[in-house]
Amino acid sequence: MRYLLIIASDPTLPSPEPGDPEFDEYMKGWADYNEELTAAGALVAGEALLPTETATTVRHKDGATQVLDGPFVELKEHLGGFYLIDVDTLDDAIEWARKLPVGEGAVEVRPIMDVSAFM
């Protein structure tokens, strides 16, 4: 079954930037995680997201469409990226979420709905 691991973090907490002495070690944690996920055959896709200031929301309501600057919901945390994985169980997905090198932050694990029966 496929699961989306949605990564959220507090943008006020510092994280290493390119050129910082800790940056290479920080990125190695992500590279190691990607390699392990790929080797397990669980990785479907994954991307980092730009900050919420770059988000645009297209909202449909009452037959009208609005285009608004910003994310669709204001959170203290921001969505920093995602992984789409394919594993056997929710417990497997949670285990992959535990391994993410997010430091301070949260990972939401959400099953992907199988819509093939509706198509």
Side-chain angles (χ1 to χ4, degrees):
M1 181 167 197
R2 295 191 307 168
Y3 293 88
L4 191 64
L5 307 181
I6 306 164
I7 303 164
S9 61
D10 183 342
T12 64
L13 295 176
S15 62
E17 298 291 330
D20 291 344
E22 308 86 20
F23 185 73
D24 288 345
E25 184 175 338
Y26 173 74
M27 292 307 295
K28 183 179 183 322
W30 288 98
D32 290 348
Y33 180 82
N34 289 339
E35 286 180 24
E36 186 178 354
L37 198 57
T38 300
L43 179 64
V44 176
E47 295 289 345
L49 300 175
L50 289 171
T52 55
E53 298 82 34
T54 65
T56 301
T57 299
V58 179
R59 184 174 300 278
H60 304 277
K61 185 176 180 181
D62 298 328
T65 301
Q66 290 181 301
V67 179
L68 306 167
D69 290 338
F72 64 86
V73 62
E74 291 291 334
L75 300 172
K76 181 178 177 184
E77 296 174 315
H78 80 257
L79 301 179
F82 70 89
Y83 281 93
L84 179 61
I85 63 173
D86 192 353
V87 294
D88 292 333
T89 67
L90 174 60
D91 287 340
D92 293 338
I94 291 170
E95 189 57 33
W96 282 110
R98 287 179 202 259
K99 292 180 180 180
L100 272 163
V102 295
E104 298 283 329
V107 180
E108 180 177 322
V109 178
R110 179 101 49 107
I112 301 296
M113 181 186 294
D114 181 3
V115 296
S116 61
F118 308 126
M119 301 291 176

